[in-house]
Coordinates of all heavy atoms in Angstrom, one line a residue:
V2 N 110.4 106.3 114.8 CA 109.7 106.5 113.5 C 108.6 107.5 113.6 O 108.4 108.3 112.7 CB 109.3 105.1 113.0 CG1 108.5 105.3 111.7 CG2 110.4 104.2 112.7
E3 N 107.8 107.5 114.7 CA 106.7 108.3 114.8 C 107.1 109.8 115.1 O 106.2 110.7 115.1 CB 105.7 107.8 115.9 CG 105.1 106.5 115.6 CD 104.2 106.0 116.6 OE1 104.0 106.6 117.7 OE2 103.6 104.9 116.4
R4 N 108.3 110.1 115.2 CA 108.8 111.4 115.4 C 109.4 111.9 114.1 O 109.9 113.1 114.0 CB 109.9 111.5 116.5 CG 109.3 111.3 117.8 CD 110.4 111.6 118.8 NE 110.0 111.1 120.1 CZ 110.8 111.1 121.2 NH1 112.1 111.5 121.1 NH2 110.4 110.6 122.3
S5 N 109.5 111.1 113.1 CA 110.1 111.5 111.8 C 109.3 112.5 111.1 O 108.1 112.5 111.2 CB 110.3 110.2 110.9 OG 109.1 109.8 110.4
S6 N 110.0 113.3 110.3 CA 109.2 114.3 109.5 C 108.3 113.7 108.5 O 107.2 114.2 108.3 CB 110.2 115.2 108.8 OG 111.1 114.4 107.9
F7 N 108.6 112.5 108.0 CA 107.7 111.8 107.1 C 106.4 111.4 107.7 O 105.3 111.7 107.2 CB 108.4 110.5 106.5 CG 109.6 110.7 105.7 CD1 110.8 110.4 106.3 CD2 109.6 111.3 104.5 CE1 112.0 110.6 105.5 CE2 110.7 111.5 103.7 CZ 111.9 111.1 104.3
Y8 N 106.5 110.8 108.9 CA 105.3 110.4 109.7 C 104.5 111.6 110.1 O 103.3 111.6 109.9 CB 105.8 109.6 110.9 CG 104.6 109.1 111.7 CD1 104.0 107.9 111.4 CD2 104.1 109.8 112.8 CE1 103.0 107.3 112.1 CE2 103.1 109.3 113.5 CZ 102.5 108.0 113.2 OH 101.4 107.5 113.9
L9 N 105.1 112.6 110.6 CA 104.4 113.8 111.1 C 103.7 114.5 110.0 O 102.6 115.0 110.1 CB 105.4 114.8 111.9 CG 105.9 114.2 113.2 CD1 107.0 115.1 113.7 CD2 104.9 113.9 114.2
A10 N 104.3 114.7 108.8 CA 103.7 115.3 107.7 C 102.5 114.6 107.2 O 101.4 115.2 107.0 CB 104.7 115.5 106.6
L11 N 102.6 113.3 107.1 CA 101.4 112.5 106.7 C 100.3 112.5 107.7 O 99.1 112.5 107.3 CB 101.9 111.0 106.4 CG 102.6 110.7 105.1 CD1 103.2 109.3 105.1 CD2 101.7 111.0 103.9
R12 N 100.6 112.5 108.9 CA 99.6 112.5 110.0 C 98.9 113.8 110.2 O 97.9 113.9 111.0 CB 100.2 112.0 111.3 CG 100.5 110.5 111.3 CD 99.3 109.7 111.3 NE 99.5 108.3 111.0 CZ 98.6 107.4 111.3 NH1 97.4 107.8 111.8 NH2 98.8 106.2 111.1
D13 N 99.5 114.9 109.7 CA 98.9 116.2 109.8 C 97.5 116.2 109.2 O 97.3 115.7 108.1 CB 99.7 117.3 109.2 CG 99.3 118.7 109.5 OD1 98.2 119.1 109.0 OD2 100.0 119.4 110.2
T14 N 96.5 116.7 109.8 CA 95.1 116.7 109.3 C 95.0 117.4 108.0 O 94.0 117.2 107.3 CB 94.1 117.2 110.4 OG1 94.5 118.5 110.7 CG2 94.1 116.3 111.6
R15 N 95.9 118.3 107.7 CA 95.8 119.1 106.5 C 96.3 118.3 105.3 O 96.1 118.7 104.1 CB 96.6 120.4 106.6 CG 96.0 121.4 107.6 CD 96.9 122.5 107.9 NE 98.0 122.0 108.6 CZ 99.1 122.7 109.0 NH1 99.1 124.0 108.8 NH2 100.1 122.1 109.7
C16 N 97.0 117.2 105.5 CA 97.5 116.3 104.5 C 96.4 115.6 103.8 O 95.6 114.8 104.5 CB 98.6 115.4 105.0 SG 99.3 114.3 103.7
K17 N 96.1 115.7 102.6 CA 95.0 115.1 101.9 C 95.4 113.9 101.0 O 94.5 113.2 100.5 CB 94.3 116.1 101.0 CG 93.8 117.4 101.7 CD 92.8 117.0 102.8 CE 92.3 118.2 103.5 NZ 91.6 117.9 104.7
G18 N 96.7 113.6 100.9 CA 97.1 112.5 100.1 C 98.6 112.5 99.9 O 99.3 113.4 100.3
T19 N 99.1 111.4 99.2 CA 100.5 111.2 99.0 C 100.7 111.1 97.5 O 99.9 110.4 96.8 CB 101.0 110.0 99.6 OG1 100.7 110.0 101.0 CG2 102.5 109.8 99.5
C20 N 101.7 111.8 96.9 CA 102.0 111.7 95.5 C 103.4 111.0 95.4 O 104.3 111.5 96.0 CB 102.1 113.1 95.0 SG 102.7 113.2 93.3
M21 N 103.4 109.9 94.7 CA 104.7 109.2 94.5 C 105.0 109.3 93.0 O 104.2 108.9 92.1 CB 104.5 107.8 94.9 CG 105.9 107.0 94.8 SD 105.8 105.3 95.5 CE 105.9 105.7 97.2
I22 N 106.1 109.9 92.7 CA 106.6 110.1 91.3 C 107.3 108.9 90.9 O 108.3 108.5 91.5 CB 107.6 111.3 91.2 CG1 106.9 112.6 91.9 CG2 108.0 111.6 89.8 CD1 105.7 113.1 91.2
L23 N 106.8 108.2 89.8 CA 107.4 107.0 89.3 C 107.8 107.1 87.9 O 107.2 107.8 87.1 CB 106.4 105.9 89.4 CG 105.9 105.5 90.8 CD1 104.8 104.4 90.7 CD2 107.0 105.0 91.7
D24 N 108.9 106.4 87.5 CA 109.2 106.1 86.1 C 109.2 104.6 86.0 O 108.9 103.9 86.9 CB 110.5 106.8 85.7 CG 111.7 106.3 86.5 OD1 111.6 105.3 87.2 OD2 112.8 106.9 86.3
E25 N 109.7 104.1 84.8 CA 109.6 102.7 84.6 C 110.6 101.9 85.5 O 110.5 100.7 85.7 CB 109.9 102.3 83.1 CG 111.2 102.8 82.5 CD 111.1 104.3 82.0 OE1 110.0 104.8 82.0 OE2 112.2 104.8 81.7
N26 N 111.5 102.6 86.1 CA 112.5 102.0 87.1 C 111.9 101.8 88.5 O 112.4 101.1 89.3 CB 113.8 102.7 87.1 CG 114.5 102.7 85.8 OD1 114.5 101.7 85.1 ND2 115.1 103.8 85.4
V27 N 110.8 102.6 88.8 CA 110.1 102.5 90.1 C 111.1 102.6 91.2 O 110.9 101.9 92.2 CB 109.3 101.2 90.2 CG1 108.2 101.3 91.2 CG2 108.6 100.9 88.8
L28 N 112.0 103.5 91.2 CA 113.0 103.7 92.2 C 112.5 104.0 93.6 O 113.0 103.5 94.6 CB 114.1 104.7 91.8 CG 115.0 104.3 90.7 CD1 116.0 105.4 90.3 CD2 115.7 103.0 91.0
P29 N 111.4 104.8 93.7 CA 110.9 105.0 95.1 C 110.5 103.7 95.8 O 110.6 103.6 97.1 CB 109.7 105.9 94.9 CG 109.9 106.6 93.6 CD 110.7 105.6 92.8
L30 N 110.1 102.7 95.1 CA 109.6 101.5 95.7 C 110.8 100.6 96.1 O 110.7 99.5 96.7 CB 108.7 100.7 94.9 CG 107.3 101.4 94.6 CD1 106.4 100.6 93.8 CD2 106.7 101.8 95.9
A31 N 112.0 101.1 95.9 CA 113.3 100.4 96.3 C 113.9 101.1 97.5 O 115.0 100.8 97.9 CB 114.2 100.3 95.2
R32 N 113.2 102.2 98.0 CA 113.7 103.0 99.1 C 112.9 102.8 100.3 O 111.6 102.9 100.3 CB 113.8 104.4 98.7 CG 114.6 104.7 97.4 CD 115.3 106.0 97.2 NE 115.6 106.8 98.4 CZ 116.7 106.7 99.1 NH1 117.6 105.8 98.8 NH2 116.9 107.4 100.2
S33 N 113.5 102.5 101.5 CA 112.8 102.2 102.7 C 111.8 103.3 103.1 O 110.7 103.1 103.6 CB 113.7 101.8 103.8 OG 114.7 102.8 104.0
W34 N 112.3 104.6 103.1 CA 111.4 105.7 103.5 C 110.2 105.8 102.6 O 109.1 106.2 103.1 CB 112.2 107.0 103.7 CG 112.9 107.1 104.9 CD1 114.3 107.0 105.1 CD2 112.4 107.2 106.3 NE1 114.6 107.1 106.5 CE2 113.4 107.2 107.2 CE3 111.1 107.2 106.8 CZ2 113.2 107.3 108.6 CZ3 110.9 107.3 108.1 CH2 112.0 107.4 109.0
C35 N 110.4 105.6 101.3 CA 109.2 105.7 100.4 C 108.2 104.6 100.7 O 107.0 104.8 100.7 CB 109.7 105.6 99.0 SG 110.7 107.1 98.5
L36 N 108.7 103.4 101.0 CA 107.9 102.3 101.4 C 107.2 102.6 102.7 O 106.0 102.2 102.8 CB 108.7 101.0 101.4 CG 109.2 100.5 100.1 CD1 110.2 99.3 100.3 CD2 108.1 100.1 99.2
F37 N 107.8 103.2 103.6 CA 107.2 103.6 104.9 C 106.1 104.6 104.6 O 105.0 104.4 105.2 CB 108.3 104.3 105.8 CG 107.7 104.9 107.0 CD1 107.3 104.0 108.1 CD2 107.5 106.2 107.1 CE1 106.8 104.6 109.2 CE2 107.0 106.8 108.3 CZ 106.6 106.0 109.3
E38 N 106.3 105.6 103.7 CA 105.2 106.5 103.4 C 104.1 105.8 102.7 O 102.9 106.2 103.0 CB 105.8 107.6 102.5 CG 106.8 108.6 103.2 CD 107.4 109.5 102.2 OE1 107.4 109.3 101.0 OE2 108.0 110.5 102.7
L39 N 104.3 104.9 101.9 CA 103.3 104.1 101.2 C 102.5 103.4 102.2 O 101.2 103.4 102.2 CB 103.9 103.2 100.2 CG 102.9 102.3 99.4 CD1 102.0 103.1 98.6 CD2 103.7 101.3 98.5
L40 N 103.1 102.7 103.1 CA 102.4 101.9 104.2 C 101.6 102.9 105.0 O 100.4 102.6 105.3 CB 103.4 101.2 105.1 CG 102.8 100.5 106.3 CD1 101.8 99.4 105.8 CD2 103.9 99.9 107.1
Q41 N 102.1 104.0 105.5 CA 101.4 104.9 106.3 C 100.2 105.5 105.5 O 99.1 105.8 106.1 CB 102.3 106.1 106.8 CG 103.3 105.6 107.8 CD 102.7 104.9 109.0 OE1 101.8 105.4 109.6 NE2 103.3 103.8 109.4
S42 N 100.4 105.8 104.3 CA 99.3 106.3 103.4 C 98.1 105.3 103.4 O 96.9 105.6 103.5 CB 99.7 106.6 102.0 OG 100.7 107.7 102.1
L43 N 98.4 104.0 103.2 CA 97.4 103.0 103.2 C 96.7 102.9 104.5 O 95.4 102.7 104.6 CB 98.0 101.6 102.8 CG 98.6 101.6 101.4 CD1 99.3 100.3 101.1 CD2 97.5 101.8 100.3
I44 N 97.4 103.0 105.6 CA 96.8 102.9 106.9 C 95.9 104.1 107.1 O 94.8 104.0 107.7 CB 98.0 102.9 108.0 CG1 98.7 101.5 108.0 CG2 97.4 103.1 109.4 CD1 99.9 101.4 108.8
L45 N 96.4 105.3 106.7 CA 95.6 106.5 106.9 C 94.2 106.4 106.1 O 93.2 106.9 106.6 CB 96.4 107.7 106.4 CG 97.2 108.4 107.5 CD1 98.1 109.4 106.8 CD2 96.4 109.0 108.6
V46 N 94.2 105.9 104.9 CA 93.0 105.7 104.2 C 92.0 104.9 105.0 O 90.8 105.3 105.2 CB 93.2 105.1 102.8 CG1 91.9 104.7 102.2 CG2 94.0 106.0 101.9
E47 N 92.5 103.8 105.6 CA 91.6 103.0 106.4 C 91.1 103.7 107.6 O 89.9 103.7 107.9 CB 92.4 101.7 106.8 CG 92.6 100.7 105.7 CD 91.3 100.1 105.2 OE1 90.5 99.7 106.1 OE2 91.2 99.9 104.0
E48 N 92.0 104.3 108.4 CA 91.6 105.0 109.6 C 90.6 106.2 109.3 O 89.6 106.3 110.0 CB 92.9 105.6 110.3 CG 93.8 104.6 110.9 CD 95.0 105.2 111.5 OE1 95.2 106.4 111.5 OE2 95.8 104.4 112.0
R49 N 91.0 107.0 108.4 CA 90.1 108.2 108.2 C 88.8 107.8 107.5 O 87.8 108.5 107.7 CB 90.8 109.2 107.3 CG 92.0 109.8 108.1 CD 92.6 111.0 107.5 NE 93.8 111.5 108.2 CZ 94.6 112.4 107.8 NH1 94.3 113.0 106.6 NH2 95.6 112.8 108.5
T50 N 88.8 106.7 106.7 CA 87.5 106.3 106.1 C 86.6 105.8 107.2 O 85.4 106.1 107.3 CB 87.7 105.2 105.0 OG1 88.5 105.8 104.0 CG2 86.4 104.8 104.4
S51 N 87.1 105.0 108.1 CA 86.3 104.4 109.2 C 85.8 105.5 110.2 O 84.7 105.4 110.7 CB 87.0 103.3 110.0 OG 88.2 103.8 110.6
Q52 N 86.7 106.5 110.4 CA 86.3 107.6 111.3 C 85.1 108.4 110.7 O 84.3 108.9 111.5 CB 87.5 108.5 111.5 CG 88.6 107.9 112.4 CD 89.8 108.8 112.4 OE1 89.9 109.8 111.7 NE2 90.8 108.4 113.2
L53 N 85.1 108.5 109.4 CA 84.1 109.4 108.8 C 82.9 108.5 108.2 O 82.2 109.0 107.3 CB 84.7 110.2 107.7 CG 85.7 111.3 108.3 CD1 86.4 112.0 107.1 CD2 85.0 112.3 109.1
K54 N 82.8 107.3 108.6 CA 81.8 106.4 108.2 C 81.7 106.3 106.6 O 80.7 106.5 106.0 CB 80.4 106.8 108.7 CG 80.4 106.8 110.2 CD 79.0 107.2 110.7 CE 78.8 107.2 112.2 NZ 79.7 107.3 113.2
G55 N 82.9 105.9 106.1 CA 82.9 105.6 104.6 C 83.3 106.8 103.7 O 83.6 106.6 102.6
Q56 N 83.4 108.0 104.3 CA 83.9 109.1 103.4 C 85.3 109.5 103.8 O 85.6 109.9 104.8 CB 83.0 110.4 103.7 CG 81.6 110.2 103.4 CD 80.8 111.4 103.7 OE1 81.2 112.4 104.4 NE2 79.5 111.5 103.2
A57 N 86.2 109.2 102.8 CA 87.6 109.3 103.1 C 88.0 110.8 103.0 O 87.6 111.5 102.1 CB 88.4 108.6 102.0
S58 N 88.8 111.3 104.1 CA 89.3 112.6 104.1 C 90.8 112.6 103.6 O 91.4 113.6 103.5 CB 89.2 113.2 105.5 OG 90.1 112.5 106.3
F59 N 91.3 111.4 103.3 CA 92.6 111.2 102.8 C 92.5 110.4 101.5 O 92.0 109.3 101.6 CB 93.5 110.5 103.9 CG 94.9 110.4 103.5 CD1 95.8 111.5 103.7 CD2 95.4 109.2 103.1 CE1 97.1 111.4 103.4 CE2 96.8 109.1 102.7 CZ 97.6 110.2 102.9
S60 N 93.0 110.9 100.4 CA 92.8 110.2 99.2 C 93.8 109.1 98.9 O 93.6 108.4 97.9 CB 92.9 111.3 98.0 OG 94.2 111.8 98.0
G61 N 94.7 108.9 99.8 CA 95.7 107.8 99.6 C 96.9 108.2 98.7 O 97.3 109.3 98.7
V62 N 97.4 107.2 97.9 CA 98.6 107.5 97.1 C 98.2 107.7 95.7 O 97.5 106.8 95.1 CB 99.6 106.3 97.3 CG1 100.8 106.5 96.4 CG2 99.9 106.0 98.7
L63 N 98.7 108.7 95.1 CA 98.6 108.9 93.6 C 99.9 108.6 93.0 O 101.0 109.1 93.4 CB 98.2 110.4 93.3 CG 96.8 110.8 93.8 CD1 96.6 112.3 93.5 CD2 95.7 110.0 93.2
F64 N 99.9 107.7 92.1 CA 101.2 107.3 91.4 C 101.3 108.1 90.2 O 100.6 107.9 89.2 CB 101.2 105.8 91.1 CG 101.1 104.9 92.3 CD1 99.9 104.3 92.7 CD2 102.3 104.7 93.1 CE1 99.9 103.5 93.9 CE2 102.2 103.9 94.2 CZ 101.0 103.3 94.6
C65 N 102.2 109.1 90.2 CA 102.4 110.1 89.1 C 103.5 109.7 88.2 O 104.6 109.3 88.7 CB 102.6 111.4 89.7 SG 101.2 111.9 90.9
T66 N 103.3 109.8 86.9 CA 104.3 109.5 86.0 C 104.5 110.7 85.0 O 103.7 111.6 85.1 CB 104.0 108.3 85.1 OG1 102.9 108.6 84.2 CG2 103.5 107.1 86.0
S67 N 105.5 110.6 84.1 CA 105.7 111.7 83.2 C 104.5 111.8 82.2 O 104.4 112.9 81.5 CB 107.0 111.5 82.4 OG 106.9 110.3 81.7
T68 N 103.7 110.8 82.1 CA 102.6 110.9 81.1 C 101.2 111.0 81.8 O 100.2 111.0 81.1 CB 102.6 109.6 80.2 OG1 102.5 108.4 81.0 CG2 103.8 109.6 79.4
G69 N 101.2 111.1 83.1 CA 99.9 111.2 83.8 C 99.9 110.4 85.1 O 100.8 109.8 85.5
I70 N 98.7 110.4 85.7 CA 98.5 109.7 87.0 C 98.0 108.3 86.7 O 96.9 108.1 86.1 CB 97.5 110.5 87.9 CG1 98.1 111.9 88.2 CG2 97.3 109.8 89.2 CD1 97.1 112.8 88.9
L71 N 98.8 107.4 87.2 CA 98.5 106.0 86.9 C 97.1 105.6 87.5 O 96.3 104.9 86.8 CB 99.6 105.1 87.6 CG 99.5 103.6 87.3 CD1 99.7 103.3 85.8 CD2 100.6 102.9 88.1
N72 N 96.7 106.1 88.7 CA 95.5 105.8 89.3 C 94.3 106.1 88.4 O 93.2 105.6 88.5 CB 95.3 106.5 90.6 CG 96.4 106.3 91.6 OD1 97.6 106.6 91.2 ND2 96.2 106.0 92.8
F73 N 94.5 107.1 87.6 CA 93.4 107.7 86.7 C 93.5 107.1 85.3 O 92.8 107.6 84.4 CB 93.4 109.2 86.7 CG 93.2 109.8 88.1 CD1 93.8 111.1 88.3 CD2 92.6 109.2 89.1 CE1 93.7 111.7 89.5 CE2 92.4 109.8 90.3 CZ 93.0 111.1 90.5
G74 N 94.4 106.2 85.1 CA 94.5 105.6 83.7 C 95.2 106.5 82.8 O 95.1 106.3 81.5
Q75 N 96.0 107.5 83.2 CA 96.6 108.5 82.4 C 98.0 108.1 82.0 O 98.6 108.8 81.2 CB 96.5 109.8 83.0 CG 95.1 110.3 83.3 CD 95.1 111.6 84.2 OE1 96.1 111.9 84.9 NE2 94.0 112.3 84.1
A76 N 98.6 107.1 82.6 CA 100.0 106.8 82.3 C 100.1 106.0 81.0 O 99.2 105.3 80.6 CB 100.6 106.0 83.5
S77 N 101.2 106.2 80.4 CA 101.4 105.4 79.1 C 101.5 103.9 79.4 O 101.8 103.5 80.5 CB 102.7 105.9 78.4 OG 103.8 105.4 79.1
T78 N 101.2 103.1 78.4 CA 101.2 101.7 78.5 C 102.7 101.2 78.8 O 102.8 100.3 79.7 CB 100.8 101.0 77.2 OG1 99.5 101.5 76.9 CG2 100.8 99.5 77.3
E79 N 103.7 101.8 78.2 CA 105.0 101.5 78.5 C 105.4 101.6 79.9 O 106.0 100.8 80.5 CB 106.0 102.3 77.6 CG 105.9 101.9 76.1 CD 104.7 102.7 75.4 OE1 104.2 103.6 76.0 OE2 104.3 102.2 74.3
I80 N 105.1 102.8 80.5 CA 105.4 103.0 81.9 C 104.6 102.1 82.8 O 105.1 101.5 83.7 CB 105.1 104.5 82.3 CG1 106.2 105.4 81.6 CG2 105.2 104.7 83.8 CD1 106.1 106.8 81.9
A81 N 103.3 101.9 82.5 CA 102.5 101.0 83.3 C 103.1 99.6 83.3 O 103.1 98.9 84.4 CB 101.1 101.0 82.8
L82 N 103.5 99.1 82.1 CA 104.0 97.7 82.0 C 105.4 97.7 82.8 O 105.7 96.7 83.4 CB 104.2 97.3 80.6 CG 102.9 97.0 79.8 CD1 103.2 96.8 78.4 CD2 102.2 95.8 80.5
G83 N 106.2 98.7 82.6 CA 107.5 98.7 83.3 C 107.3 98.7 84.8 O 108.0 98.0 85.6
I84 N 106.3 99.4 85.3 CA 106.0 99.4 86.8 C 105.5 98.1 87.2 O 106.0 97.5 88.2 CB 105.0 100.5 87.1 CG1 105.6 101.9 86.9 CG2 104.4 100.4 88.5 CD1 104.7 103.1 87.0
G85 N 104.7 97.5 86.4 CA 104.2 96.1 86.7 C 105.3 95.1 86.8 O 105.3 94.3 87.7
K86 N 106.2 95.1 85.9 CA 107.3 94.2 85.9 C 108.2 94.4 87.1 O 108.6 93.4 87.7 CB 108.2 94.4 84.6 CG 107.5 93.8 83.4 CD 108.4 94.1 82.1 CE 107.7 93.6 80.9 NZ 108.4 93.9 79.7
K87 N 108.4 95.6 87.5 CA 109.2 95.9 88.6 C 108.5 95.4 89.9 O 109.1 94.8 90.8 CB 109.6 97.4 88.7 CG 110.5 97.8 89.8 CD 111.9 97.3 89.6 CE 112.8 97.9 90.6 NZ 114.2 97.5 90.4
L88 N 107.2 95.7 90.0 CA 106.5 95.3 91.2 C 106.4 93.8 91.3 O 106.4 93.2 92.5 CB 105.1 95.8 91.1 CG 104.9 97.3 91.3 CD1 103.5 97.7 91.1 CD2 105.4 97.7 92.7
A89 N 106.4 93.0 90.2 CA 106.4 91.6 90.3 C 107.6 91.0 90.9 O 107.6 89.9 91.5 CB 106.2 91.0 88.9
T90 N 108.7 91.7 90.9 CA 110.0 91.2 91.5 C 110.5 92.0 92.7 O 111.6 91.8 93.2 CB 111.1 91.2 90.4 OG1 111.3 92.5 89.9 CG2 110.7 90.3 89.2
L91 N 109.7 92.9 93.2 CA 110.0 93.8 94.3 C 110.2 92.9 95.5 O 109.4 92.1 95.9 CB 108.9 94.8 94.5 CG 109.2 95.8 95.6 CD1 110.3 96.8 95.2 CD2 107.9 96.6 95.9
R92 N 111.4 93.1 96.2 CA 111.6 92.5 97.5 C 111.9 93.6 98.5 O 112.9 94.3 98.4 CB 112.9 91.6 97.3 CG 112.7 90.4 96.4 CD 113.9 89.6 96.1 NE 114.9 89.6 97.2 CZ 115.0 88.6 98.1 NH1 114.3 87.5 98.0 NH2 116.0 88.6 99.0
L93 N 111.0 93.6 99.5 CA 111.1 94.7 100.5 C 112.4 94.6 101.3 O 112.9 95.6 101.7 CB 109.9 94.5 101.5 CG 108.5 94.7 100.8 CD1 107.4 94.6 101.9 CD2 108.4 96.0 100.1
E94 N 112.9 93.4 101.5 CA 114.2 93.3 102.3 C 115.3 93.9 101.5 O 116.4 94.1 102.1 CB 114.4 91.9 102.6 CG 114.5 90.9 101.5 CD 113.2 90.2 101.1 OE1 112.1 90.7 101.5 OE2 113.3 89.2 100.4
D95 N 115.2 94.2 100.2 CA 116.3 94.8 99.4 C 116.2 96.3 99.4 O 117.0 97.0 98.8 CB 116.2 94.3 98.0 CG 116.5 92.8 97.9 OD1 117.2 92.3 98.8 OD2 116.1 92.2 96.9
A96 N 115.2 96.9 100.1 CA 115.0 98.3 100.1 C 116.3 99.0 100.7 O 116.9 98.5 101.7 CB 113.8 98.7 100.9
T97 N 116.6 100.2 100.2 CA 117.8 100.9 100.7 C 117.4 102.2 101.3 O 116.3 102.7 101.1 CB 118.8 101.1 99.5 OG1 118.1 101.9 98.6 CG2 119.2 99.8 98.9
A98 N 118.4 102.8 102.0 CA 118.2 104.1 102.6 C 119.6 104.8 102.7 O 120.6 104.1 102.8 CB 117.6 104.1 104.0
T99 N 119.6 106.1 102.6 CA 120.9 106.8 102.8 C 120.9 107.4 104.2 O 119.9 107.6 104.8 CB 121.0 107.9 101.8 OG1 119.9 108.8 101.8 CG2 121.2 107.4 100.4
S100 N 122.1 107.6 104.7 CA 122.2 108.1 106.1 C 122.2 109.6 106.0 O 122.3 110.3 105.1 CB 123.4 107.6 106.7 OG 124.5 107.8 106.0

C-alpha cells in the first residue's frame, strides 16, 4: 500500500490537501481507494500539525459538490442532507474496488 500512487502522491511534501468530489450518492465513500485516501489525509493533518507545532501544512480533505465546498458551507441543503443520509448508513466492509 505504501508504494501505491495514491499513498505516494498524498505523502509528497508539495501536496497541500485532498479534494473529494461528492454528489448526493456519495459514491467515493463506497470505494476502498477513496476511503484509503480519506484516512491518509486525516493522518497527514495530525502528523503535519504536530510537526509544525499547531500550524497545518496540509489542509486535509475538501468535500466538493456541484454547488460549492461543503467544508465552507457552500453546498446546497439538498446535497448536504443526501450526504448525511448516506454517511449514516455507510458500511466500510461494503466498499468496492475495481481491478
Side-chain angles (χ1 to χ4, degrees):
V2 172
E3 292 180 0
R4 292 185 192 175
S5 72
S6 58
F7 297 110
Y8 183 85
L9 294 173
L11 283 170
R12 289 290 173 163
D13 189 290
T14 57
R15 295 169 292 181
C16 182
K17 301 299 180 197
T19 305
C20 172
M21 185 173 283
I22 309 297
L23 298 175
D24 63 9
E25 58 276 350
N26 296 319
V27 198
L28 291 179
L30 295 181
R32 304 206 25 87
S33 57
W34 278 111
C35 294
L36 292 170
F37 173 78
E38 291 173 341
L39 179 62
L40 174 62
Q41 291 304 313
S42 296
L43 295 172
I44 291 170
L45 273 171
V46 168
E47 289 291 320
E48 288 177 2
R49 293 190 184 173
T50 300
S51 64
Q52 289 170 357
L53 296 173
K54 298 182 179 23
Q56 296 178 351
S58 66
F59 185 80
S60 62
V62 180
L63 295 177
F64 296 102
C65 304
T66 73
S67 61
T68 57
I70 300 172
L71 187 63
N72 309 52
F73 301 151
Q75 298 170 339
S77 72
T78 304
E79 292 80 18
I80 289 181
L82 288 173
I84 291 169
K86 286 178 184 177
K87 184 71 171 184
L88 289 175
T90 60
L91 182 70
R92 293 173 30 100
L93 299 180
E94 58 268 19
D95 293 338
T97 62
T99 55
S100 54

